[in-house]
Amino acid sequence: MLATTIGLLAMLLVGLMSWPLARGVSGIAIGLITSTMFALLLRKKLGQPISIVASGIGAIVACFFAISTAEILPPGSLQSFFQGGLYGAAFGVPVAAILSPLALMEHRRVNDDSVSN
């Protein structure tokens, strides 16, 4: 969930600096890449089973909903940054939380396979 939030924050910061760079698919890509890279970093540094897939999907959902607020709020503004970020996080973080057990199941499967060999 932390990686999803970091991905969303990266997209929002880029959008605050330059809205044309963060709108549409490029904004979703910014959030996805940042989220997966941060999840990989956390996995290596902490040695914990962190789901890269859950982080990425959560970031995609969060960025999509944050970008969609530009239809209602002024795009690239502080209002869009905060309200769009909250709106995106309200949808993206729960998706990441629901999908996070995938990492634990994969970690158990890998450990069970290594024990049986």
Side-chain angles (χ1 to χ4, degrees), residues 37-53:
M37 296 303 276
F38 191 75
L40 281 168
L41 178 72
L42 285 176
R43 181 185 273 189
K44 285 191 185 264
K45 292 292 183 184
L46 299 178
Q48 298 293 321
I50 296 171
S51 177
I52 296 166
V53 173

Side-chain angles (χ1 to χ4, degrees), residues 50-111:
I50 296 171
S51 177
I52 296 166
V53 173
S55 300
I57 293 173
I60 289 170
V61 172
C63 291
F64 172 79
F65 281 102
I67 291 169
S68 70
T69 60
E71 294 182 12
I72 301 168
L73 304 171
S77 65
L78 281 175
Q79 182 183 13
S80 178
F81 178 83
F82 287 112
Q83 289 181 340
L86 289 174
Y87 187 67
F91 288 98
V93 172
V95 167
I98 291 168
L99 295 177
S100 289
L102 293 174
L104 292 173
M105 292 186 316
E106 178 66 20
H107 183 68
R108 283 189 189 151
R109 187 184 64 79
V110 168
N111 285 342

